[in-house]
Amino acid sequence: MSGLPLHRRAGFRLSFRYLLAALLVIVFCFPVYWLFIISFKTPDEIFAFPPVWYPASLQFGNYWVLFKDGDAGTVWNSLVLASVSTFFAMILGTVAAYSLVRFKTGGENLAVWIISQRMMPPVAIVFPLFLLYVYFGWVDTYFGLIILYTAFSLPYVIWMMRGYIEDIPLELEESALIDGCSRWEVLWKVVLPMARSGLFATAVFTFIFAWNDFLFALVLTRTEVTTYTVQVTHYFGGQSNFWAKIAAMSVLGTIPVFITVAIMQRYLVRGISMGAVKG
Amino acid sequence: MSDLKISNLHKHYGGFHAVKGIDLDVPSGEFTVLVGPSGCGKSTLLRCIAGLEETSQGTIEIGGRDVTYARPRDRDIAMVFQNYALYPYLSVKENIAFGLRARKFAEAEIEKRVSRAAEMLAIGHLLQRFPRELSGGQRQRVAIGRAIVRDAILYLFDEPLSNLDAQLRDDMRVEIKRLHNELGRTMIYVTHDQIEAMTLADRIVLLRDGLIEQQGAPLDLFERPKTRFVAGFLGSPKMNFVDATATRTGVKLADGTTLDLPGQKGLKAGAAVVLGLRPQFITVAGKTVAKGHARVPAVIELLQPTGSRVQATLPLGGASIVAELAAHDVSKPGEKIHIDLDLTRAVVMDPQSGQVI
Ligand SMILES: Nc1ncnc2c1ncn2[C@@H]1O[C@H](COP(=O)(O)OP(=O)(O)OP(=O)(O)O)[C@@H](O)[C@H]1O
Ligand SMILES: [Mg+2]
């Protein structure tokens, strides 16, 4: 037994926890800070040793040049592709999941087959897809990538939404059916509100999958719908790497995800833990 | 006119035959209670009426219209579910208004009806709350409110009180009965609680294994059960059953006691029978033996006081029976008393078929 009074020991334990938490925050945030700060440095500062922890002046020029050359437009491309494909995947996936749960469409096996599609490594299909896309003339089009991302996200959305919908008490839907709703109205007025947290959590992840995609975008785009992930690689040159541009582009690519997660935070925590408890 | 007419209704769940041919006619304005032991098909029957289950065979008419294949929303019914079925994301007011909004009622009309329903159920002060902020009893009121704001032909209740504690259940029972009197609507109420059935019903429909065992007014079933099952199901404490042998004028118990049963005809002397005697129709011997009563000696084995009454367990003709006596008529186990059996209320049953003779 230590000689300290109880409340002081509790105090120590608490401050220890805060210390630990602060340490973890620093460890996880440092790379983000470093990326952020590089995007405002001059080339000299970037390569300086010892490292420059914070630059003397902020070089907004690193960003300016991205906008001037139109490179920043690739972030917009990513945003369009990820949002639109998420939108369609959520609609189709939720309706499909509802059908699987309530009408046992395809029996037990269809659901498993659907999620098995998710296990296919993208690289296994990207080249056949490329040939197909060349044939259809879909290479380097919004349409082509949106279809692909939607199709690729669907199994995940169906699988997740299936879990959330299964948790909705059947009585709520039956009550609505008796009260005068059609199936579609039940979906809209009962299922969606009931599965809201799960819906948002799933949408965020679906968005991030599409947002972070590199492989499909690399193979299936040229110049028109280049995504920011592909654009960043253009700054790794033969002789030199444009670190400031890489950093600035990466920051631009992080912002939308950051905002999305910030807005959806409330639902994310609940949606994820809902799934966790269910197992 | 009948608001509900069911003909030869069958329901199979895969290979399981849950409802085995039910005919039912519910007149307008009547309070019908479907009662029976767990698993007898009450909920299934109600859900078939609501259109939540497809029927396997037979027809259902509501308000004179064949709705056998109609969708739930086209059947002109309202339903109260066992687990309330309130939408957690809507306020009490919006929960009650849900059905009206789904049917595109005008805002002013919705406002009017919701406040009227809320007033009837004394939940006017809760309208802005959310379901999670209500007690169980309040939730049940809201659930009932959701049903009664609608102008349905038929109001269905599936064990609406089974999640409430005993005290609240009694209060809500009164409430529901009062609502029925005020609204005068046709209601079908499912319960496995025979007291609820007895107290609420204009008519009880007693189900057993997917078939109607007997239907009629509560007292009718109570006093004139057609089978041993009905006799045993209704009434608390349960009816006593004593094995006996039929004589020309009554029955003979295992210990040789003979009892004359007034008005009992059609007994085959010597046949094995079961004598049914309700605990309420047994009293401690008074000065004289009333007409149609029989006096027998008994030794009290066990006493269970319930307040104004006491349930006494005592042996009779080789069996152990329960008598419901006035609280102060007996004092302790072991006491030797005489009891009077009201044989005008006794029933005699065939032990094999369970039919009342
Ligand atoms: N969806 C179903 N699939 C298969 N069997 C079912 C289904 N629903 C009910 N059953 C069976 O049908 C029979 C009647 O069920 P039901 O729910 O109507 O009983 P109940 O009389 O309402 O009983 P309780 O008082 O316990 O609610 C039961 O044996 C039950 O197991
Ligand atoms: Mg039931």
Side-chain angles (χ1 to χ4, degrees), chain B residues 12-14 16-19 36-47 53 82 158-159 190-192 207:
Chain B
H12 296 266
Y13 286 115
F16 184 77
H17 203 170
V19 174
S38 191
C40 68
K42 309 179 292 288
S43 297
T44 305
L45 177 58
L46 198 73
R47 292 170 58 80
E53 301 284 354
Q82 179 173 5
D158 192 357
E159 308 212 21
V190 163
T191 180
H192 59 250
L207 295 177

Short mmCIF file of all heavy atoms in Angstrom, two decimals, chain B residues 12-14 16-19 36-47 53 82 158-159 190-192 207, ligand 1:
data_model
loop_
_atom_site.label_atom_id
_atom_site.label_comp_id
_atom_site.label_asym_id
_atom_site.label_seq_id
_atom_site.Cartn_x
_atom_site.Cartn_y
_atom_site.Cartn_z
N HIS B 12 -51.16 -22.55 -42.95
CA HIS B 12 -50.02 -23.46 -42.80
C HIS B 12 -48.75 -22.64 -42.76
O HIS B 12 -48.56 -21.73 -43.56
CB HIS B 12 -49.92 -24.40 -44.01
CG HIS B 12 -51.09 -25.33 -44.14
ND1 HIS B 12 -51.08 -26.60 -43.61
CD2 HIS B 12 -52.29 -25.18 -44.73
CE1 HIS B 12 -52.23 -27.19 -43.89
NE2 HIS B 12 -52.99 -26.35 -44.56
N TYR B 13 -47.87 -22.96 -41.81
CA TYR B 13 -46.50 -22.42 -41.86
C TYR B 13 -45.62 -23.56 -42.34
O TYR B 13 -45.29 -24.42 -41.54
CB TYR B 13 -46.02 -21.99 -40.47
CG TYR B 13 -46.64 -20.71 -39.96
CD1 TYR B 13 -47.46 -20.72 -38.85
CD2 TYR B 13 -46.36 -19.49 -40.56
CE1 TYR B 13 -48.00 -19.55 -38.35
CE2 TYR B 13 -46.91 -18.32 -40.07
CZ TYR B 13 -47.72 -18.36 -38.97
OH TYR B 13 -48.24 -17.20 -38.49
N GLY B 14 -45.25 -23.56 -43.59
CA GLY B 14 -44.51 -24.71 -44.09
C GLY B 14 -45.35 -25.94 -43.85
O GLY B 14 -46.49 -26.03 -44.31
N PHE B 16 -46.40 -26.87 -40.93
CA PHE B 16 -47.13 -26.77 -39.66
C PHE B 16 -48.50 -26.13 -39.86
O PHE B 16 -48.63 -25.06 -40.43
CB PHE B 16 -46.30 -25.94 -38.68
CG PHE B 16 -46.91 -25.86 -37.32
CD1 PHE B 16 -46.83 -26.92 -36.44
CD2 PHE B 16 -47.59 -24.70 -36.93
CE1 PHE B 16 -47.42 -26.84 -35.19
CE2 PHE B 16 -48.19 -24.62 -35.68
CZ PHE B 16 -48.09 -25.70 -34.81
N HIS B 17 -49.53 -26.85 -39.39
CA HIS B 17 -50.90 -26.40 -39.58
C HIS B 17 -51.33 -25.58 -38.35
O HIS B 17 -51.70 -26.14 -37.33
CB HIS B 17 -51.79 -27.65 -39.73
CG HIS B 17 -53.08 -27.36 -40.44
ND1 HIS B 17 -53.91 -28.36 -40.87
CD2 HIS B 17 -53.66 -26.20 -40.81
CE1 HIS B 17 -54.97 -27.82 -41.46
NE2 HIS B 17 -54.83 -26.51 -41.43
N ALA B 18 -51.23 -24.27 -38.43
CA ALA B 18 -51.44 -23.43 -37.24
C ALA B 18 -52.91 -23.08 -37.03
O ALA B 18 -53.39 -23.03 -35.90
CB ALA B 18 -50.61 -22.15 -37.35
N VAL B 19 -53.64 -22.84 -38.10
CA VAL B 19 -55.08 -22.56 -38.01
C VAL B 19 -55.80 -23.58 -38.88
O VAL B 19 -55.49 -23.73 -40.05
CB VAL B 19 -55.40 -21.12 -38.48
CG1 VAL B 19 -56.90 -20.89 -38.51
CG2 VAL B 19 -54.75 -20.10 -37.55
N GLY B 36 -56.94 -18.32 -25.45
CA GLY B 36 -56.52 -19.71 -25.54
C GLY B 36 -55.09 -19.82 -25.06
O GLY B 36 -54.42 -18.81 -24.87
N PRO B 37 -54.63 -21.05 -24.85
CA PRO B 37 -53.27 -21.21 -24.33
C PRO B 37 -52.23 -20.80 -25.37
O PRO B 37 -52.55 -20.61 -26.54
CB PRO B 37 -53.19 -22.71 -24.04
CG PRO B 37 -54.22 -23.34 -24.90
CD PRO B 37 -55.31 -22.34 -25.07
N SER B 38 -51.00 -20.67 -24.91
CA SER B 38 -49.92 -20.24 -25.80
C SER B 38 -49.78 -21.21 -26.97
O SER B 38 -49.81 -22.42 -26.79
CB SER B 38 -48.63 -20.19 -24.99
OG SER B 38 -47.65 -19.56 -25.73
N GLY B 39 -49.63 -20.65 -28.16
CA GLY B 39 -49.41 -21.49 -29.33
C GLY B 39 -50.67 -22.03 -29.98
O GLY B 39 -50.60 -22.83 -30.91
N CYS B 40 -51.85 -21.59 -29.53
CA CYS B 40 -53.08 -22.14 -30.08
C CYS B 40 -53.47 -21.46 -31.39
O CYS B 40 -54.40 -21.88 -32.06
CB CYS B 40 -54.22 -22.01 -29.07
SG CYS B 40 -54.73 -20.32 -28.79
N GLY B 41 -52.76 -20.39 -31.76
CA GLY B 41 -53.04 -19.76 -33.05
C GLY B 41 -53.79 -18.45 -32.97
O GLY B 41 -54.28 -17.95 -33.98
N LYS B 42 -53.87 -17.85 -31.81
CA LYS B 42 -54.58 -16.57 -31.66
C LYS B 42 -53.93 -15.48 -32.50
O LYS B 42 -54.59 -14.81 -33.30
CB LYS B 42 -54.56 -16.10 -30.19
CG LYS B 42 -55.01 -17.11 -29.19
CD LYS B 42 -54.91 -16.56 -27.78
CE LYS B 42 -53.49 -16.33 -27.30
NZ LYS B 42 -52.74 -17.56 -27.01
N SER B 43 -52.63 -15.32 -32.30
CA SER B 43 -51.93 -14.27 -33.05
C SER B 43 -51.99 -14.55 -34.54
O SER B 43 -52.17 -13.63 -35.34
CB SER B 43 -50.47 -14.18 -32.61
OG SER B 43 -50.39 -13.83 -31.26
N THR B 44 -51.83 -15.79 -34.89
CA THR B 44 -51.87 -16.15 -36.31
C THR B 44 -53.21 -15.76 -36.92
O THR B 44 -53.26 -15.16 -38.00
CB THR B 44 -51.63 -17.66 -36.47
OG1 THR B 44 -50.41 -18.01 -35.82
CG2 THR B 44 -51.58 -18.04 -37.92
N LEU B 45 -54.28 -16.07 -36.21
CA LEU B 45 -55.62 -15.73 -36.71
C LEU B 45 -55.76 -14.21 -36.86
O LEU B 45 -56.23 -13.71 -37.88
CB LEU B 45 -56.68 -16.29 -35.76
CG LEU B 45 -58.13 -15.97 -36.09
CD1 LEU B 45 -58.48 -16.46 -37.48
CD2 LEU B 45 -59.07 -16.61 -35.06
N LEU B 46 -55.30 -13.49 -35.85
CA LEU B 46 -55.40 -12.03 -35.89
C LEU B 46 -54.58 -11.45 -37.03
O LEU B 46 -55.01 -10.52 -37.73
CB LEU B 46 -54.93 -11.44 -34.55
CG LEU B 46 -55.38 -10.01 -34.29
CD1 LEU B 46 -56.86 -9.98 -33.98
CD2 LEU B 46 -54.59 -9.39 -33.14
N ARG B 47 -53.41 -12.02 -37.23
CA ARG B 47 -52.53 -11.53 -38.30
C ARG B 47 -53.09 -11.85 -39.69
O ARG B 47 -52.86 -11.11 -40.63
CB ARG B 47 -51.12 -12.10 -38.14
CG ARG B 47 -50.42 -11.55 -36.89
CD ARG B 47 -49.13 -12.30 -36.60
NE ARG B 47 -48.23 -12.23 -37.73
CZ ARG B 47 -47.44 -11.19 -37.99
NH1 ARG B 47 -47.45 -10.16 -37.17
NH2 ARG B 47 -46.66 -11.18 -39.04
N GLU B 53 -50.38 -11.97 -42.57
CA GLU B 53 -50.04 -13.32 -43.01
C GLU B 53 -50.98 -13.67 -44.16
O GLU B 53 -52.16 -13.31 -44.12
CB GLU B 53 -50.26 -14.35 -41.89
CG GLU B 53 -49.47 -14.12 -40.64
CD GLU B 53 -48.00 -14.51 -40.77
OE1 GLU B 53 -47.62 -15.08 -41.82
OE2 GLU B 53 -47.25 -14.21 -39.84
N GLN B 82 -48.38 -5.83 -29.36
CA GLN B 82 -47.94 -6.18 -28.01
C GLN B 82 -46.78 -5.30 -27.53
O GLN B 82 -46.76 -4.85 -26.41
CB GLN B 82 -47.51 -7.64 -28.00
CG GLN B 82 -47.01 -8.11 -26.66
CD GLN B 82 -46.77 -9.61 -26.64
OE1 GLN B 82 -46.90 -10.28 -27.65
NE2 GLN B 82 -46.42 -10.12 -25.49
N ASP B 158 -53.36 -7.20 -30.19
CA ASP B 158 -52.66 -8.45 -29.89
C ASP B 158 -51.96 -8.35 -28.55
O ASP B 158 -50.89 -7.76 -28.44
CB ASP B 158 -51.65 -8.78 -30.99
CG ASP B 158 -51.12 -10.21 -30.86
OD1 ASP B 158 -51.52 -10.89 -29.89
OD2 ASP B 158 -50.33 -10.64 -31.71
N GLU B 159 -52.55 -8.91 -27.55
CA GLU B 159 -52.01 -8.90 -26.19
C GLU B 159 -51.42 -7.54 -25.81
O GLU B 159 -50.26 -7.44 -25.46
CB GLU B 159 -50.92 -9.97 -26.05
CG GLU B 159 -51.40 -11.32 -26.51
CD GLU B 159 -50.75 -12.46 -25.73
OE1 GLU B 159 -50.27 -12.19 -24.62
OE2 GLU B 159 -50.77 -13.58 -26.23
N VAL B 190 -56.83 -10.08 -28.59
CA VAL B 190 -56.20 -11.37 -28.33
C VAL B 190 -55.55 -11.35 -26.96
O VAL B 190 -54.89 -10.38 -26.60
CB VAL B 190 -55.12 -11.68 -29.39
CG1 VAL B 190 -54.19 -12.78 -28.92
CG2 VAL B 190 -55.76 -12.07 -30.70
N THR B 191 -55.73 -12.39 -26.20
CA THR B 191 -55.06 -12.50 -24.92
C THR B 191 -54.96 -13.96 -24.53
O THR B 191 -55.68 -14.79 -25.06
CB THR B 191 -55.82 -11.72 -23.82
OG1 THR B 191 -55.12 -11.87 -22.59
CG2 THR B 191 -57.23 -12.23 -23.65
N HIS B 192 -54.01 -14.27 -23.66
CA HIS B 192 -54.05 -15.64 -23.13
C HIS B 192 -54.48 -15.59 -21.66
O HIS B 192 -54.49 -16.59 -20.97
CB HIS B 192 -52.70 -16.35 -23.30
CG HIS B 192 -51.56 -15.65 -22.62
ND1 HIS B 192 -50.56 -15.02 -23.30
CD2 HIS B 192 -51.29 -15.47 -21.32
CE1 HIS B 192 -49.73 -14.48 -22.46
NE2 HIS B 192 -50.14 -14.73 -21.24
N LEU B 207 -59.90 -20.61 -28.33
CA LEU B 207 -59.19 -21.41 -29.34
C LEU B 207 -58.35 -22.48 -28.68
O LEU B 207 -57.85 -22.32 -27.57
CB LEU B 207 -58.27 -20.51 -30.16
CG LEU B 207 -58.91 -19.44 -31.02
CD1 LEU B 207 -57.84 -18.61 -31.69
CD2 LEU B 207 -59.83 -20.06 -32.05
N1 LIG C 1 -43.77 -17.60 -38.76
C1 LIG C 1 -44.03 -18.82 -38.27
N2 LIG C 1 -43.42 -19.91 -38.78
C2 LIG C 1 -43.68 -21.13 -38.31
N3 LIG C 1 -44.52 -21.39 -37.30
C3 LIG C 1 -45.15 -20.35 -36.73
C4 LIG C 1 -44.93 -19.02 -37.18
N4 LIG C 1 -45.69 -18.18 -36.43
C5 LIG C 1 -46.35 -18.97 -35.56
N5 LIG C 1 -46.04 -20.27 -35.74
C6 LIG C 1 -46.56 -21.39 -34.99
O1 LIG C 1 -47.97 -21.36 -35.07
C7 LIG C 1 -48.55 -21.68 -33.82
C8 LIG C 1 -49.50 -20.59 -33.38
O2 LIG C 1 -48.74 -19.43 -33.12
P1 LIG C 1 -49.39 -18.12 -32.57
O3 LIG C 1 -48.33 -17.08 -32.53
O4 LIG C 1 -50.61 -17.81 -33.35
O5 LIG C 1 -49.76 -18.53 -31.10
P2 LIG C 1 -50.52 -17.67 -30.01
O6 LIG C 1 -51.82 -18.35 -29.77
O7 LIG C 1 -50.56 -16.26 -30.38
O8 LIG C 1 -49.60 -17.91 -28.74
P3 LIG C 1 -49.09 -16.84 -27.65
O9 LIG C 1 -50.15 -16.78 -26.60
O10 LIG C 1 -47.86 -17.51 -27.11
O11 LIG C 1 -48.83 -15.56 -28.33
C9 LIG C 1 -47.41 -21.90 -32.83
O12 LIG C 1 -47.24 -23.28 -32.64
C10 LIG C 1 -46.23 -21.30 -33.53
O13 LIG C 1 -45.09 -22.04 -33.22
#
